[in-house]
Amino acid sequence: MYRDDYLMRLIRQLVDAIARIAGFRRQGDYVRVMSEVGRAWDELGVPRGLAKAMDGRALAELLRDPAKQRVAAQLLAEEAHVMHATGDPLHAGMLRLRAIELFAAARKQDPQADDDAAIAELGRHVAPEDLVLATTSC
């Protein structure tokens, strides 16, 4: 019971952080976005460097909880927006694929109405063959 309360409070805090991050991104404050993304990864309990180094399946297993997987996917998506906007489309694509893998893993455990829309939005910027692999690998 206590663990569930803690997890729900953590997820709410991270969802609020993602909303702030998205606002900074829309303002073009990419330095602030990256700082807040790093802080959010710390709150999630996963060092940002580790999250970026792991493949989607391993990261999904590490996070285990679908709500945590979705939050992590959103963090990766926000960082992908920044990478694309600052001239690094290759890195942005890699982050988008990892985000798709996390959304797919979360959907597999606990399907939510927004999962398909999130995957579709991220998938608009990913090669179709990569999208198929990402959504079937987790």
Side-chain angles (χ1 to χ4, degrees), residues 24-35:
F24 295 137
R25 177 181 46 83
R26 283 189 296 274
Q27 294 170 5
D29 190 351
Y30 302 136
V31 171
R32 187 81 183 263
V33 168
M34 298 307 285
S35 174

Side-chain angles (χ1 to χ4, degrees), residues 81-126:
H81 284 297
V82 171
M83 293 297 106
H84 185 81
T86 57
D88 190 354
L90 182 62
H91 193 208
M94 191 174 72
L95 292 170
R96 284 187 183 109
L97 281 174
R98 189 143 318 117
I100 290 168
E101 289 172 327
L102 289 176
F103 275 121
R107 180 181 65 185
K108 186 175 180 180
Q109 291 181 65
D110 177 36
Q112 298 292 313
D114 294 342
D115 291 340
D116 290 335
I119 290 169
E121 176 59 30
L122 289 162
R124 290 184 328 118
H125 307 282
V126 174

Side-chain angles (χ1 to χ4, degrees), residues 10-136:
L10 174 65
I11 297 303
R12 278 193 299 272
Q13 289 172 345
L14 289 167
V15 167
D16 290 345
I18 290 168
R20 284 191 310 276
I21 290 166
F24 295 137
R25 177 181 46 83
R26 283 189 296 274
Q27 294 170 5
D29 190 351
Y30 302 136
V31 171
R32 187 81 183 263
V33 168
M34 298 307 285
S35 174
E36 293 294 320
V37 164
R39 188 170 300 131
W41 278 112
D42 289 342
E43 287 180 36
L44 196 54
V46 179
R48 182 171 163 203
L50 179 63
K52 289 171 60 175
M54 297 177 84
D55 66 35
R57 181 183 302 238
L59 185 54
E61 288 175 13
L62 176 68
L63 294 167
R64 290 186 303 214
D65 184 84
K68 283 182 163 183
Q69 293 167 345
R70 285 185 183 93
V71 166
Q74 291 172 319
L75 291 173
L76 291 168
E78 288 299 332
E79 190 169 353
H81 284 297
V82 171
M83 293 297 106
H84 185 81
T86 57
D88 190 354
L90 182 62
H91 193 208
M94 191 174 72
L95 292 170
R96 284 187 183 109
L97 281 174
R98 189 143 318 117
I100 290 168
E101 289 172 327
L102 289 176
F103 275 121
R107 180 181 65 185
K108 186 175 180 180
Q109 291 181 65
D110 177 36
Q112 298 292 313
D114 294 342
D115 291 340
D116 290 335
I119 290 169
E121 176 59 30
L122 289 162
R124 290 184 328 118
H125 307 282
V126 174
E129 60 273 12
D130 292 338
L131 181 60
V132 170
L133 288 173
T135 56
T136 58

